[in-house]
Amino acid sequence: MLLSGTVVADADTVIHDGAVVVEDDVIVAVGDRSTCLEQYPDHERHACDLLAPGTVGAHVHSVQSLGRGIADDTELLDWLFEYVLPMEASLSAEEMHTAAELGYLEMIESGTTTCVDHLSVAHAEEAFEAACDLGIRGRLGKVMMDKDSPPGLLEDTDEALAESERLIREYHGAADGRIRYAVTPRFAVSCTEACLRGTRELADEYDGVTIHTHASENRGEIETVEKETGRRNIHWLDEVGLTGEDVVLAHCVWTDESEREVLAETGTHVTYCPSSNMKLASGVAPVLDYLDRGINVALGNDGPPCNNTLDPFTEMRQASLLQKVDRLEPQALPARTVFEMATINGARAAGFDRVGKLREGWKADIVGLETDITRATPIHDALSHLTFVAHGDDVQFTMVDGEVLQREGEVVVADAAAIRSRAREFAADLDVGS
Amino acid sequence: MLLSGTVVADADTVIHDGAVVVEDDVIVAVGDRSTCLEQYPDHERHACDLLAPGTVGAHVHSVQSLGRGIADDTELLDWLFEYVLPMEASLSAEEMHTAAELGYLEMIESGTTTCVDHLSVAHAEEAFEAACDLGIRGRLGKVMMDKDSPPGLLEDTDEALAESERLIREYHGAADGRIRYAVTPRFAVSCTEACLRGTRELADEYDGVTIHTHASENRGEIETVEKETGRRNIHWLDEVGLTGEDVVLAHCVWTDESEREVLAETGTHVTYCPSSNMKLASGVAPVLDYLDRGINVALGNDGPPCNNTLDPFTEMRQASLLQKVDRLEPQALPARTVFEMATINGARAAGFDRVGKLREGWKADIVGLETDITRATPIHDALSHLTFVAHGDDVQFTMVDGEVLQREGEVVVADAAAIRSRAREFAADLDVGS
């Protein structure tokens, strides 16, 4: 397939009147449109206004989709224990499947081609199946909770690890390697030391399996961990093996100097979730400091109950605006940096090679946006447009691993209206907490 | 016309399976759909998923639209003097006309039905003409700058006031009262005492003419005013007559206790512009404190070079999220309050009666949003949806003063594609500053 349009290949490369040529799952050429047309005259052609790498949602909860908007204006720990966990605990296998489908559908429609997805305790295979079917690239993991958790979610430690291992064997590397596994303890508050140490052992045992958890999102959370372990949260996670180049820690809002040193020294990835941190009043992650230390910072939408959307472009805009106002520095986190966080940094955090840029030999994960719309007029700079103006609604074309998932604004791999309809039915009967 | 759908009539009234009936420019009924159908069987019918009052953009710069994205990552005063003012100064009458059309087009498409519009020094009549033609409700004003202003914008005081008066006579009350005038000094930094006092005199001379200016957006601005006048900015504005129930002050980020007392005592309206305040790193306006004092706080998108869109729903979301994270209070500025800021509070600030709610006898300023889309699935609460999820792209129907401006997502009062095309041509040749 030969895709043509203005090509934002990476943060340094914008090709006007450009093209991207795809064969199977790989990009074979990126360059000038006329040159590509000469070289590949027989490839199917598709024109977009603007082509870019698909974005990476490096911390999402697809299966919380049915709870969009159920708990506005509440603080994280109340939000979690009073609303979101009861909702997760109440979902049947069929509801979990629909919730995951709805989440992936929203991501595919709005330009997320890779996600690092924090599932739930039960029915995780429903999300794996949905991800395989819908065609998104994903690093998914069943959530483990083996202490201080509500009924319906609390598990035995060995069973939690055994179920994780079963899912690794079944799904890690599925769909031609598009689906991979992250061992996923919820957070230190609801996991025993045995569970956290078991997480590291499991990740080390299977090639390419990584680790994904929440860390230091909220002041109540870090106080609890410190009271229970005598250590700051990141030091605790480091001690039990949950730092390193194969670990993604979501949030990291409340870290001190010594914890940041640990993150930098261990090569741990951090996912910045600005809208979620704002909505739950968690705080402002010290992202500029992380970047200065060479920590890889990715972006994530978190879940529909705390965002309330999975639109990656809204998150890019928010990422920059929040840092600017927090530091009172208008230069903070410019478009270029945000774009890298949403693409290549995310792919590194997700642990997928040759993903996150449009480049010869890299995976064909590509989105096409329309720009002949009023709010996108005029465009003085494509990176500025993508960061401060673009919206998921603009995404008309989505390709993952060379497969077209959306064309002309219509998802072609699923019956979107039927998924929405099922989601509405299930949501109407949902236990939406207190 | 009989409009049907879920009706969010105001922050306290959501009618499922409801209807709004319009005759001429007025709403004659709001209620249950079947009852309305019985009572008004012969009215033209139009179904929407969700009906709401049109939003009020209580501080915008339509004529800056050609400069969308020209000066990202710069601080207010540099942004203004190095980029935006030179751009404004360079615009011909024709360019100004197209810029205004583009701005109003974006507002109409995305659900703003009333704007308080800060124009430019020259060619203000182009924006008045465009607003009359495109059908938006507006409180517009020619900008006055009679000191410390760049070439091409600096005016003689008497000429600035005389031109404002000429425009009042020509346009105040135009289009059946849809267009009204606000005397509009840019801000205290670029206006002499004579200009500011003349502003008050002019507003008092003409019935229904109000005042609109920027105030205390930026620390450099208030320091300059204090150095020049010996007073805090709001005290200075109060002294020269620029406070009161007919005054809209945009921003008010940097105010002290005594200034807030003045705002409350005088009934001055404040427009909160969260995205602009974030992007220009101006700071966080103390909106919760203003509301506690009974100050009327409205919402504004400011201009495309500092936002970079005019989408009112993005601004509603941002309004709440910024206050929550700034105060670390997740309950801060809930959906209900934000919705009122974007509708009825805005209408009060703009000085239009019977605007901002869907209510019998009130003006027919109505928007219809589609909700059968993935990111709007499910909706547990209509106010939460409008505040945290909805986007201008969802607006498919726009009515102002009983006139349909947009239907099925297509603007029917102008050739939108032609306006965009002209805007792109002009923007390509724009002087985008240093």
Side-chain angles (χ1 to χ4, degrees):
Chain A
M1 187 172 243
L2 190 154
L3 301 164
S4 62
T6 296
V7 178
V8 181
D10 57 41
D12 299 312
T13 317
V14 178
I15 308 165
H16 295 283
D17 208 12
V20 182
V21 185
V22 175
E23 291 181 354
D24 300 322
D25 59 333
V26 171
I27 294 167
V28 296
V30 179
D32 179 66
R33 188 173 72 96
S34 58
T35 310
C36 287
L37 282 171
E38 267 174 44
Q39 282 189 290
Y40 302 91
D42 300 326
H43 282 54
E44 181 194 345
R45 297 174 191 183
H46 188 81
C48 294
D49 293 338
L50 184 63
L51 292 161
T55 66
V56 179
H59 176 67
V60 298
H61 295 261
S62 65
V63 300
Q64 291 179 0
S65 295
L66 298 183
R68 190 192 305 282
I70 56 168
D72 297 336
D73 312 316
T74 53
E75 174 271 350
L76 175 73
L77 297 182
D78 291 341
W79 174 90
L80 187 64
F81 286 99
E82 301 296 322
Y83 296 89
V84 172
L85 293 184
M87 177 196 73
E88 281 191 16
S90 76
L91 294 182
S92 68
E94 198 185 355
E95 288 167 330
M96 197 71 83
H97 194 90
T98 297
E101 285 181 313
L102 184 69
Y104 299 136
L105 188 63
E106 186 181 355
M107 291 186 238
I108 290 165
E109 287 183 358
S110 59
T112 295
T113 52
T114 298
C115 65
V116 180
D117 196 358
H118 198 103
L119 305 175
S120 189
V121 170
H123 310 308
E125 63 275 10
E126 299 296 332
F128 279 98
E129 291 292 332
C132 287
D133 290 347
L134 266 70
I136 198 165
R137 189 182 299 284
R139 173 76 68 175
L140 281 57
K142 165 210 155 31
V143 169
M144 299 186 294
M145 302 177 76
D146 68 336
K147 77 180 255 289
D148 298 339
S149 299
L153 294 174
L154 183 69
E155 302 171 287
D156 171 79
T157 308
D158 290 340
E159 282 173 18
L161 290 164
E163 174 67 1
S164 296
E165 185 162 16
R166 187 185 73 74
L167 290 164
I168 290 171
R169 289 185 176 167
E170 186 159 353
Y171 291 109
H172 180 59
D176 298 324
R178 195 163 45 71
I179 301 302
R180 298 191 188 166
Y181 202 89
V183 191
T184 307
R186 186 146 219 141
F187 63 159
V189 171
S190 61
C191 295
T192 62
E193 179 174 348
C195 179
L196 298 175
R197 289 192 186 275
T199 293
R200 166 48 67 199
E201 284 167 20
L202 208 46
D204 285 348
E205 197 176 328
Y206 290 89
D207 189 40
V209 166
T210 63
I211 293 169
H212 175 206
T213 192
H214 299 100
S216 307
E217 176 177 2
N218 173 286
R219 288 173 297 176
E221 169 202 353
I222 61 169
E223 282 162 18
T224 301
V225 174
E226 191 155 5
K227 197 184 297 174
E228 291 180 355
T229 69
R231 291 168 189 71
R232 298 276 301 179
N233 191 33
I234 301 297
H235 289 298
W236 172 242
L237 294 177
D238 187 48
E239 185 173 324
V240 296
L242 269 59
T243 53
E245 292 177 11
D246 59 355
V247 176
V248 180
L249 298 182
H251 305 298
C252 295
V253 174
W254 298 99
T255 55
D256 69 13
E257 174 72 22
S258 67
E259 291 177 288
R260 296 177 198 184
E261 277 174 21
V262 169
L263 294 173
E265 280 165 14
T266 55
T268 305
H269 307 273
V270 171
T271 300
Y272 173 37
C273 303
S275 291
S276 168
N277 297 158
M278 294 174 81
K279 186 147 183 285
L280 295 171
S282 299
V284 182
V287 166
L288 301 181
D289 185 59
Y290 292 155
L291 292 170
D292 283 347
R293 293 170 191 265
I295 295 170
N296 183 52
V297 181
L299 271 187
N301 282 71
D302 210 341
C306 66
N307 186 308
N308 298 353
T309 91
L310 298 176
D311 177 35
F313 297 97
T314 298
E315 218 53 30
M316 289 169 68
R317 172 182 163 94
Q318 200 67 285
S320 176
L321 266 53
L322 179 58
Q323 292 297 321
K324 289 179 195 305
V325 77
D326 181 57
R327 305 274 288 238
L328 296 180
E329 290 174 15
Q331 298 83 6
L333 225 53
R336 192 188 177 291
T337 308
V338 171
F339 181 79
E340 291 201 323
M341 291 168 72
T343 54
I344 186 67
N345 294 12
R348 284 185 192 127
F352 285 98
D353 287 338
R354 295 177 296 123
V355 169
K357 297 186 179 196
L358 302 184
R359 180 175 285 192
E360 193 184 319
W362 285 40
K363 288 286 189 176
D365 290 5
I366 308 170
V367 294
L369 290 81
E370 66 174 343
T371 60
D372 186 16
I373 51 179
T374 303
R375 70 173 157 73
T377 304
I379 296 176
H380 286 284
D381 178 272
L383 280 182
S384 165
H385 170 73
L386 286 169
T387 305
F388 296 118
V389 174
H391 186 273
D393 294 352
D394 305 345
V395 177
Q396 301 289 308
F397 177 89
T398 308
M399 172 181 276
V400 175
D401 222 28
E403 190 190 353
V404 177
L405 308 185
Q406 177 178 222
R407 188 193 283 261
E408 312 289 1
E410 295 293 327
V411 168
V412 295
V413 288
D415 183 342
I419 293 172
R420 289 198 293 269
S421 175
R422 278 200 301 279
R424 270 188 221 105
E425 276 171 40
F426 288 138
D429 296 327
L430 206 62
D431 175 2
V432 294
S434 40
Chain B
M1 188 172 239
L2 190 154
L3 301 164
S4 62
T6 296
V7 178
V8 181
D10 57 41
D12 300 312
T13 318
V14 178
I15 308 165
H16 296 282
D17 207 13
V20 183
V21 185
V22 175
E23 291 181 355
D24 300 322
D25 58 333
V26 172
I27 294 168
V28 295
V30 179
D32 178 67
R33 189 174 71 96
S34 57
T35 311
C36 287
L37 282 170
E38 265 174 47
Q39 283 190 289
Y40 302 92
D42 300 326
H43 282 56
E44 180 194 347
R45 298 175 191 181
H46 187 80
C48 295
D49 293 338
L50 185 63
L51 292 161
T55 67
V56 180
H59 176 66
V60 299
H61 295 261
S62 65
V63 299
Q64 292 179 359
S65 295
L66 299 182
R68 190 191 306 281
I70 57 169
D72 297 335
D73 312 315
T74 53
E75 174 271 350
L76 174 74
L77 296 182
D78 291 342
W79 174 89
L80 187 65
F81 287 100
E82 302 295 322
Y83 295 89
V84 172
L85 294 183
M87 177 195 74
E88 280 191 16
S90 77
L91 295 182
S92 68
E94 200 186 355
E95 288 167 329
M96 197 70 82
H97 194 90
T98 296
E101 285 182 312
L102 184 68
Y104 299 135
L105 189 61
E106 185 181 356
M107 290 186 240
I108 291 165
E109 287 183 356
S110 58
T112 296
T113 52
T114 297
C115 65
V116 180
D117 196 358
H118 198 103
L119 305 176
S120 188
V121 170
H123 310 308
E125 63 276 9
E126 299 296 333
F128 278 98
E129 291 292 333
C132 287
D133 290 348
L134 266 72
I136 198 166
R137 189 181 301 283
R139 173 75 68 174
L140 282 58
K142 163 211 156 32
V143 169
M144 300 187 292
M145 303 177 77
D146 68 335
K147 78 180 254 287
D148 298 339
S149 300
L153 294 175
L154 183 69
E155 302 170 286
D156 172 78
T157 308
D158 291 341
E159 283 173 18
L161 291 164
E163 174 66 1
S164 297
E165 186 162 15
R166 186 185 74 74
L167 290 163
I168 290 171
R169 289 184 177 171
E170 188 160 351
Y171 292 108
H172 180 59
D176 298 324
R178 194 166 41 75
I179 302 300
R180 298 190 188 167
Y181 202 89
V183 191
T184 308
R186 186 148 219 139
F187 61 160
V189 171
S190 61
C191 294
T192 62
E193 180 174 348
C195 179
L196 298 176
R197 289 190 185 276
T199 294
R200 167 48 67 199
E201 285 168 20
L202 209 46
D204 286 348
E205 200 175 327
Y206 290 89
D207 188 40
V209 166
T210 63
I211 293 170
H212 175 208
T213 192
H214 299 101
S216 307
E217 176 175 3
N218 173 286
R219 288 173 297 176
E221 170 203 352
I222 62 169
E223 283 162 18
T224 301
V225 174
E226 191 154 6
K227 197 184 296 175
E228 291 179 354
T229 69
R231 290 166 189 72
R232 298 275 301 180
N233 190 34
I234 301 297
H235 290 297
W236 172 241
L237 293 177
D238 187 48
E239 185 172 326
V240 297
L242 268 59
T243 51
E245 291 176 11
D246 59 354
V247 177
V248 179
L249 299 183
H251 304 298
C252 296
V253 173
W254 299 97
T255 54
D256 70 13
E257 175 71 22
S258 67
E259 291 176 289
R260 296 175 198 185
E261 278 174 21
V262 169
L263 294 173
E265 280 165 13
T266 56
T268 305
H269 307 274
V270 171
T271 300
Y272 173 37
C273 302
S275 292
S276 168
N277 296 159
M278 293 174 81
K279 185 147 184 283
L280 295 171
S282 299
V284 181
V287 167
L288 302 183
D289 184 58
Y290 292 156
L291 292 170
D292 282 346
R293 292 170 191 266
I295 295 170
N296 183 51
V297 181
L299 273 186
N301 281 73
D302 210 343
C306 66
N307 186 310
N308 299 348
T309 90
L310 298 176
D311 177 36
F313 296 97
T314 298
E315 217 54 29
M316 288 169 69
R317 173 181 161 95
Q318 199 67 285
S320 177
L321 266 54
L322 180 59
Q323 293 297 321
K324 288 178 194 307
V325 76
D326 182 56
R327 304 273 289 240
L328 296 180
E329 289 174 16
Q331 298 84 3
L333 225 55
R336 193 189 176 289
T337 309
V338 171
F339 181 80
E340 291 202 323
M341 291 167 72
T343 54
I344 186 67
N345 294 13
R348 284 185 192 126
F352 285 98
D353 288 336
R354 294 177 297 124
V355 169
K357 298 185 179 195
L358 302 184
R359 181 174 286 194
E360 192 184 319
W362 285 41
K363 288 287 190 176
D365 290 6
I366 308 169
V367 294
L369 290 81
E370 66 173 345
T371 59
D372 185 15
I373 51 180
T374 303
R375 68 173 157 74
T377 304
I379 296 177
H380 286 284
D381 177 273
L383 281 181
S384 165
H385 170 72
L386 286 170
T387 303
F388 297 118
V389 173
H391 186 273
D393 294 353
D394 305 345
V395 177
Q396 300 290 307
F397 176 88
T398 308
M399 173 182 276
V400 175
D401 222 28
E403 192 190 352
V404 177
L405 308 185
Q406 178 178 220
R407 189 192 282 261
E408 312 288 0
E410 296 293 328
V411 168
V412 295
V413 288
D415 183 341
I419 292 171
R420 289 198 292 268
S421 174
R422 280 200 301 279
R424 271 188 218 106
E425 277 171 40
F426 288 139
D429 297 327
L430 206 63
D431 175 1
V432 292
S434 39

